[in-house]
Amino acid sequence: MLVLSLGSGIGSAAEIIIQPGQSIQDSLNSSVSGDEIVISPGNYTENLRITTSDLIVRSASGNPEDTIVTSNDQTKDVFYVEASNVTITGLSINGAGSDRAGVYLIRSSNCTIENNEFLNDALGIYLKNSTYNLILNNTASVGRRAVNVERSNYNTVSGNNVSNQRFGIYLLVSEGNMVINNTVSTSADHGFVMESCTNTSLENNTATSNEDYGIHVVSSSSNNLTGNMVDSNLVYGIHFTDSSGNILANNTAFNNSRGIFLLRSGESILSGNTVTNNGNGILLTSAGDSNFSENTVSYNRISGISLLNSTNCSISDNVLTNNTLGIDLAFSSNTTVINNSVQDGGRGFNLQDSSYNAVSNNTASNNRYGAYLLRSGRNVLSNNLASESDDHGIVLENSSNYNEITDNVASSNRAYGVYLTGSNNNNISSNEASGNARGIYLITSNGNALLNNTVLDNGEYAILLSYSSGNKISDNEASNS
């Protein structure tokens, strides 16, 4: 062991150089605050305990691949740290056994764990009751959790590369942490997990090819997920359960079984996300009071933006293309759908068993159907454009009753502009149906009012009723059909 003074005078900090075959723990035991423990390239088999603050433990080379510390006793942590202002950097740290960590920080603050390599550790880096620490630019492969933050606040986890864990980065009962620019792949369960966390930022992380969820948030509130990419995760890209008041902005979710899913997770804001080539794009279930705006949602096989059993939401200014269902409300109510563009899909706007919703100022073009209401009543559809559909522009089917269909334009659709079947007591007024194969058609639909509509230049039938009675037809303009 070589000791070099880093200053002058009694009690000066020292640089302690460790050679292979020497004990790192002996140097730690004799160290004082301010010392640097410099470990020369080689293999070391020890379990180390640090209780002196203001220490640096580093490899001489700065290269984790040539300075390897392996657990001597797998029932213990490789590094146990109960001190502050400790830096551990440039090491390969291996072999922590079940429920043990490569580096365990307990009741520690302002420590830095940087540029280390963790291999075959049950827990790579474990923080408990620790604050204001930096976990930077480490790699971890083969273990249960690469980074575990428990009851620890205001830490930064950044630039780490994690693979082949059960969970990649896991935060539990913690607040105010920042998780930034990390990559987690091929986890057996989830990539990133936040459980019972608040005021946490997940920014610019990548979660790819994890067996369950890319990012999983449970029982957590007031968190911010921004700029993350979730790709090719087996179940969900981003998944929230029982979590409220969170913001999801500018994330990218593609090639997952489901893109972004919120279950019982209301009061959420989803803005500026790109969601492509999933099963469901964005799905909110059993929640409410959420806002979906300026998202780009495309090529999702089941639906683009869906609400199931949800209420009091706003869906605005989104662009949706090539989804089987564009904007889909099922068993949902009191939601506003405004200023969206939906094109090249199956049903542009789909309402099923939903009521008291307002759908206005939207554009639906080149879909199979522009707007489709099934068993949905007391909704308002106004000032929408439904054009160039492969089938009908606006459809009300199977007891879609007491709706207000006003001031819409249904044009250049290949079947009917407006089509009602088995739907009663609707107000169809001040709409324009033009350039369609047929204009407005009612079959087995009674008690509806068709007032002040303009029906022009349709292939045949301006207004046609079949097996329908008690309808009021007044002040419509019909020509060239």
Side-chain angles (χ1 to χ4, degrees):
M1 178 174 65
L2 177 63
V3 180
L4 302 175
S5 176
L6 298 178
S8 61
I10 298 173
S12 296
E15 183 179 271
I16 303 169
I17 300 176
I18 310 298
Q19 299 293 339
Q22 296 176 339
S23 170
I24 301 170
Q25 186 64 59
D26 287 347
S27 298
L28 292 170
N29 292 341
S30 62
S31 64
V32 298
S33 294
D35 284 353
E36 288 191 28
I37 311 297
V38 182
I39 305 173
S40 299
N43 294 288
Y44 302 82
T45 304
E46 298 190 55
N47 297 90
L48 304 168
R49 185 179 183 90
I50 300 175
T51 55
T52 300
S53 295
D54 300 300
L55 285 183
I56 296 174
V57 180
R58 65 178 178 86
S59 65
S61 66
N63 181 8
E65 293 184 0
D66 66 23
T67 309
I68 302 165
V69 181
T70 302
S71 179
N72 183 54
D73 182 350
Q74 291 196 346
T75 66
K76 297 179 180 179
D77 306 300
V78 182
F79 280 85
Y80 174 97
V81 180
E82 190 171 358
S84 295
N85 297 299
V86 172
T87 296
I88 300 172
T89 183
L91 302 171
S92 180
I93 301 170
N94 304 331
S98 179
D99 298 320
R100 295 299 174 182
V103 174
Y104 179 40
L105 300 183
I106 176 72
R107 294 180 291 275
S108 300
S109 61
N110 297 299
C111 295
T112 300
I113 312 301
E114 183 175 14
N115 188 34
N116 300 287
E117 183 178 272
F118 295 86
L119 179 64
N120 289 314
D121 298 297
L123 305 172
I125 303 167
Y126 184 8
L127 280 63
K128 188 171 184 180
N129 299 322
S130 295
T131 57
Y132 298 104
N133 299 287
L134 301 176
I135 310 301
L136 307 176
N137 301 318
N138 302 282
T139 64
S141 61
V142 188
R144 291 179 57 234
R145 299 183 184 183
V147 179
N148 194 75
V149 179
E150 180 179 351
R151 300 184 185 275
S152 296
N153 306 327
Y154 309 110
N155 302 284
T156 298
V157 180
S158 178
N160 301 284
N161 195 318
V162 175
S163 62
N164 294 303
Q165 307 283 322
R166 180 178 177 188
F167 302 102
I169 296 175
Y170 201 115
L171 284 72
L172 175 65
V173 196
S174 299
E175 68 175 47
N177 294 291
M178 298 188 69
V179 181
I180 306 170
N181 293 320
N182 303 282
T183 298
V184 178
S185 63
T186 58
S187 301
D189 280 311
H190 315 317
F192 296 83
V193 180
M194 289 197 301
E195 182 178 353
S196 302
C197 292
T198 59
N199 299 312
T200 297
S201 293
L202 265 68
E203 299 181 11
N204 300 319
N205 300 286
T206 300
T208 62
S209 302
N210 298 288
E211 289 296 311
D212 271 345
Y213 313 153
I215 298 172
H216 180 45
V217 180
V218 57
S219 302
S220 298
S221 62
S222 303
N223 300 290
N224 191 336
L225 276 69
T226 303
N228 302 287
M229 183 179 73
V230 290
D231 172 23
S232 302
N233 299 286
L234 190 60
V235 183
Y236 296 103
I238 300 174
H239 182 268
F240 280 72
T241 300
D242 299 315
S243 299
S244 63
N246 297 288
I247 297 173
L248 290 83
N250 302 316
N251 301 286
T252 300
F254 61 98
N255 300 326
N256 308 283
S257 293
R258 300 170 183 87
I260 300 174
F261 179 45
L262 291 81
L263 173 63
R264 299 186 300 274
S265 297
E267 301 175 18
S268 299
I269 296 173
L270 287 84
S271 178
N273 301 287
T274 300
V275 186
T276 302
N277 199 35
N278 307 282
N280 296 102
I282 300 172
L283 173 60
L284 178 73
T285 299
S286 302
D289 302 296
S290 294
N291 182 288
F292 305 79
S293 66
E294 298 181 351
N295 300 287
T296 300
V297 184
S298 61
Y299 291 97
N300 297 288
R301 295 178 297 280
I302 300 172
S303 61
I305 298 175
S306 292
L307 273 59
L308 174 62
N309 192 32
S310 297
T311 187
N312 294 321
C313 294
S314 172
I315 303 174
S316 64
D317 301 297
N318 301 282
V319 175
L320 299 98
T321 58
N322 286 287
N323 304 285
T324 301
L325 302 176
I327 294 176
D328 175 39
L329 277 61
F331 302 96
S332 296
S333 63
N334 296 297
T335 287
T336 299
V337 181
I338 186 169
N339 293 332
N340 301 281
S341 173
V342 185
Q343 59 186 1
D344 299 321
R347 299 181 182 181
F349 299 88
N350 187 66
L351 277 66
Q352 176 181 331
D353 300 292
S354 296
S355 60
Y356 299 103
N357 301 288
V359 180
S360 62
N361 297 309
N362 302 283
T363 298
S365 61
N366 291 297
N367 301 285
R368 181 177 180 187
Y369 301 99
Y372 201 109
L373 278 65
L374 175 64
R375 297 187 301 274
S376 294
R378 303 187 187 279
N379 300 285
V380 175
L381 272 69
S382 65
N383 294 298
N384 301 288
L385 171 63
S387 67
E388 300 184 78
S389 304
D390 289 335
D391 215 312
H392 311 315
I394 298 171
V395 178
L396 279 67
E397 181 182 355
N398 192 3
S399 300
S400 291
N401 306 326
Y402 298 101
N403 296 287
E404 296 285 327
I405 312 297
T406 63
D407 297 298
N408 302 284
V409 175
S411 64
S412 302
N413 299 288
R414 292 174 181 81
Y416 291 98
V418 179
Y419 180 91
L420 275 67
T421 177
S423 297
N424 308 314
N425 301 303
N426 296 286
N427 177 28
I428 314 294
S429 65
S430 301
N431 302 283
E432 177 186 326
S434 62
N436 306 286
R438 301 174 182 86
I440 299 175
Y441 181 44
L442 279 66
I443 182 170
T444 60
S445 296
N446 307 315
N448 299 284
L450 278 69
L451 310 173
N452 298 305
N453 298 287
T454 300
V455 189
L456 304 174
D457 301 316
N458 298 285
E460 57 179 337
Y461 307 130
I463 299 173
L464 175 66
L465 280 70
S466 179
Y467 303 105
S468 300
S469 63
N471 296 287
K472 181 179 180 180
I473 302 173
S474 176
D475 298 315
N476 300 283
E477 178 185 353
S479 64
N480 295 328
S481 297

